[in-house]
Amino acid sequence: MNFEEHAAKPLLARLGIAVPRGELARTPDQAAAIAARIGAVVVKAQVPAGKRGKAGGIKLAATPDEARIHAEAIIGMEIAGHQVEMVLIEEQVAIERELYAAVLNDPASQGPLVVFSTAGGMDIEEVAAAAPDKLHLRPVDIRRGFTGADAGTLVRGLALGAAEGKVADTLARLYEVYAAFDAELVEINPLIVTTDGRVV
């Protein structure tokens, strides 16, 4: 089962990972109404597929009218064989840095693998091919799990500055999500460090 973004984010939030405010819209008018409440937003196609941005399914909107226009263009489009029936209208977050975080089933170690990269916002496959040194991996023994200390070791020395502790905490919580929901893959791309120092 692939969870669309709007369904996955509440699961992250339930285990303490910060997510932006957002609401679902099925019509352009609903998108405009939500944007009027939230302010500057991102209009995001909801389909169980990646590369939505490259397909034109993610747009920034500064005003409710822009949100309506983008929603009108996105709803009904096809992305990776899926027709877009609704959009997530989500608050814009002031980005200082984009990171990548995931926990996945690893065939090589036959267990969970925590993956972290400072090259967020890109296709992780491209990062792995072009700059494998930017991928930091930690196989996990399911008998002992993945702690905040383990996460701290994984991110140490990666020039995260004041955000290092918060990033490590988020990675540990992401493993909790993976374990709690018996997931095959839990991925955040991008994991954002905001200009005011939050990790979202």
Side-chain angles (χ1 to χ4, degrees), residues 37-52:
R37 291 194 296 273
I38 292 178
V41 295
V42 188
V43 181
K44 306 172 95 174
Q46 294 301 286
V47 292
K51 301 178 175 59
R52 292 171 296 156

Side-chain angles (χ1 to χ4, degrees), residues 12-196:
L12 301 180
R14 193 185 303 174
L15 287 169
I17 296 174
V19 299
R21 290 181 301 142
E23 298 178 41
L24 276 178
R26 296 180 183 276
T27 69
D29 285 344
Q30 287 177 353
I34 295 166
R37 291 194 296 273
I38 292 178
V41 295
V42 188
V43 181
K44 306 172 95 174
Q46 294 301 286
V47 292
K51 301 178 175 59
R52 292 171 296 156
K54 287 185 176 181
I58 299 178
K59 299 288 186 183
L60 299 176
T63 66
D65 281 343
E66 285 185 8
R68 179 186 288 107
I69 290 166
H70 291 322
E72 191 168 13
I74 293 171
I75 294 172
M77 76 184 323
E78 188 175 292
I79 299 176
H82 302 279
Q83 187 168 26
V84 179
E85 297 179 355
M86 53 192 169
V87 288
L88 178 61
I89 309 301
E90 192 170 74
E91 68 174 320
Q92 288 187 27
V93 179
I95 299 171
E96 180 174 297
R97 194 163 183 190
E98 293 184 331
L99 311 170
Y100 175 90
V103 185
L104 53 92
N105 289 349
D106 178 34
S109 65
Q110 296 187 341
L113 181 70
V114 178
V115 182
F116 178 75
S117 178
T118 54
M122 298 173 57
D123 290 337
I124 202 64
E125 296 85 358
E126 293 176 9
V127 174
D133 58 306
K134 290 189 176 179
L135 279 184
H136 304 276
L137 312 175
R138 175 74 179 248
V140 178
D141 181 340
I142 60 171
R143 293 167 295 186
R144 65 174 296 274
F146 182 76
T147 65
D150 295 327
T153 300
L154 183 62
V155 302
R156 192 167 298 129
L158 300 181
L160 295 172
E164 182 178 292
K166 293 175 186 173
V167 171
D169 180 69
T170 300
L171 284 175
R173 292 176 187 274
L174 194 65
Y175 181 81
E176 289 180 25
V177 173
Y178 167 90
F181 296 102
D182 196 25
E184 293 181 2
L185 167 67
V186 183
E187 179 182 55
I188 304 175
N189 190 24
L191 176 65
I192 293 167
V193 180
T194 68
T195 54
D196 61 359

